[in-house]
Amino acid sequence: MVSNTAKVAIKLCEVYDVDLIEMNLQEMLDQIYDLKANINENTKVLIKPNLVSPLTPDKAATTHPAVVEAVVRILKTKGAKNIWIGDSGIHGTSKIFEVCGMNDIAQRYDCQICDFDNDSIDNVHNQDNFILKNIPLTRFIRDCDLIINMPKTKIHHAVLYTGAIKNLYGTIVGKNKMKLHANLGTKDNFENALLDLFTTVAPTINIMDGIVGMEGNGPANGKPVRSNMLLASTNGLALDIVAMSQIGIGVRDVGYIEKGLKRKMAPRPSEIEIIGDQVPLVSYEKPSAFLVKLNGFVERVTPSIYQHMKPIPKFDKKNVSSVKYVKKFALWMPLQWMGCQW
């Protein structure tokens, strides 16, 4: 179950200095969760940053390695020895780990890199979910004892805002993301699916890198913007609500956030207890009208196009036990890029 605790810790932080971030995060975590009491040398901890694309940290598309490193340091001081850093991105997850600085952290702190796309799938059944009764998750979710969800504060051209809730879409393995989105059909279904996924994965802690976020045409092609904040909570929806309020976005502006409140995944915004600093508000630039309209068009046509262009089985007559998959039209790949909901 997702925690309904209403505490969100926030700290003013203006630079990506690992020592400073570690100090701030340690103070924040002490206010929301007792790590020391819940970690020992046998605890398997999975860190899930936002690694959407192989872009260097200065582009502000991915969780900054300094924030991830600070979390790893804190875990090490609490006695954790089995620390995993994992994600499933686009354009090659192994390359993303290198470009985004995760490989370097793993090498220096003896962590395990988990490429979700190159490991086994765990088909998780949850009958209580609204939409997603069966989810093709990475097996690392079931194998770990504690999940730390580490999103980036960003504008998203399709859903306006992406944070703690949206970040867990990366726990769905590989091409299943696009297949799932196409099969869901409507925006309402997709938004409820995001919430189903979040409640199923149920991260223990959510830590947001909002020191430099992304505005405009996010989640990968926007512009860096300073919001000078770190946030932490055991409740991802509550964290998202506070983060959105810091960058000029209301609850009713983001469908899955509003639906999450109706599903009682967090208290009402007025009941969320904000602990820490008074961080100045920043109004993030929204996506271009053209991109929003284009995404709306792609959302409408993707389900039917997917049914006509998805890979189809073709039997190898020389080897009846072998099945090859072929795509019907080359147009499918650009549609995947335009319509994807990362």
Side-chain angles (χ1 to χ4, degrees):
M1 292 293 292
V2 174
S3 168
N4 62 358
T5 302
K7 291 184 179 180
V8 177
I10 183 170
K11 293 288 287 186
L12 177 69
C13 190
E14 300 177 335
V15 292
Y16 284 111
D17 178 271
V18 178
D19 293 334
L20 177 62
I21 295 170
E22 181 183 1
M23 181 181 68
N24 284 332
L25 287 180
Q26 183 62 74
E27 181 180 339
M28 296 163 72
L29 290 171
D30 287 342
Q31 295 170 323
I32 64 166
Y33 186 80
D34 190 349
L35 268 177
K36 188 175 182 180
N38 290 282
I39 287 182
N40 57 55
E41 64 179 14
N42 297 315
T43 305
K44 298 173 183 177
V45 183
L46 173 63
I47 296 174
K48 166 58 178 81
N50 184 321
L51 304 178
V52 64
S53 192
L55 296 169
T56 53
D58 60 293
K59 302 298 184 183
T62 57
T63 307
H64 199 284
V67 184
V68 176
E69 182 176 351
V71 171
V72 170
R73 284 188 183 182
I74 291 170
L75 292 171
K76 288 286 186 179
T77 64
K78 304 301 182 184
K81 292 185 178 180
N82 300 306
I83 302 174
W84 307 341
I85 303 172
D87 203 357
S88 169
I90 54 177
H91 306 307
T93 306
S94 59
K95 181 179 180 182
I96 291 175
F97 285 126
E98 181 63 36
V99 174
C100 295
M102 300 301 119
N103 284 350
D104 177 62
I105 295 171
Q107 291 168 3
R108 288 190 288 116
Y109 293 93
D110 192 25
C111 302
Q112 178 182 340
I113 287 292
C114 304
D115 183 347
F116 297 164
D117 289 342
N118 287 317
D119 213 291
S120 58
I121 295 175
D122 185 12
N123 288 300
V124 176
H125 179 78
N126 191 337
Q127 190 59 40
D128 294 332
N129 283 347
F130 282 39
I131 299 292
L132 297 183
K133 306 297 184 182
N134 295 285
I135 310 176
L137 287 176
T138 168
R139 60 97 176 169
F140 289 104
I141 297 299
R142 191 188 294 272
D143 289 352
C144 73
D145 302 304
L146 187 148
I147 299 170
I148 301 180
N149 181 27
M150 295 192 65
K152 183 83 165 176
T153 314
K154 294 191 292 183
I155 293 295
H156 194 294
H157 71 267
V159 292
L160 185 59
Y161 162 84
T162 176
I165 300 290
K166 186 71 173 59
N167 189 45
L168 293 190
Y169 204 60
T171 60
I172 294 177
V173 177
K175 295 178 181 178
N176 287 288
K177 298 185 191 70
M178 189 58 200
K179 179 181 178 181
L180 179 62
H181 175 59
N183 287 338
L184 286 169
T186 69
K187 187 176 181 180
D188 281 344
N189 283 347
F190 180 72
E191 290 171 345
N192 272 311
L194 287 178
L195 299 171
D196 287 343
L197 177 62
F198 193 86
T199 57
T200 301
V201 175
T204 312
I205 305 169
N206 305 273
I207 297 172
M208 176 172 280
D209 168 17
I211 298 174
V212 178
M214 176 174 282
E215 64 180 355
N217 298 327
N221 299 310
K223 300 180 296 184
V225 55
R226 286 198 162 274
S227 38
N228 298 324
M229 62 181 182
L230 292 167
L231 297 98
S233 180
T234 56
N235 186 302
L237 181 58
L239 182 145
D240 277 343
I241 290 169
V242 174
M244 287 162 54
S245 70
Q246 287 291 128
I247 63 173
I249 299 177
V251 167
R252 293 183 179 179
D253 296 329
V254 182
Y256 67 89
I257 298 295
E258 192 171 23
K259 287 180 175 66
L261 284 172
K262 290 179 179 178
R263 288 170 59 166
K264 301 187 183 304
M265 289 173 58
R268 291 178 297 180
S270 61
E271 296 173 343
I272 296 173
E273 181 183 357
I274 303 175
I275 308 167
D277 299 337
Q278 290 283 340
V279 178
L281 305 182
V282 179
S283 183
Y284 275 29
E285 178 184 314
K286 307 305 186 292
S288 68
F290 170 78
L291 193 57
V292 171
K293 289 181 180 179
L294 176 62
N295 186 77
F297 169 75
V298 172
E299 280 186 343
R300 291 192 298 273
V301 303
T302 292
S304 59
I305 290 178
Y306 176 79
Q307 295 305 318
H308 290 88
M309 297 187 180
K310 64 183 178 181
I312 57 174
K314 183 178 180 180
F315 289 93
D316 186 342
K317 294 179 180 179
K318 295 181 180 179
N319 182 1
V320 294
S321 64
S322 173
V323 179
K324 297 179 179 179
Y325 284 82
V326 297
K327 293 185 181 298
K328 292 184 179 179
F329 298 99
L331 180 62
W332 174 238
M333 290 307 292
L335 279 175
Q336 275 190 304
W337 171 251
M338 289 191 294
C340 69
Q341 299 287 328
W342 307 106

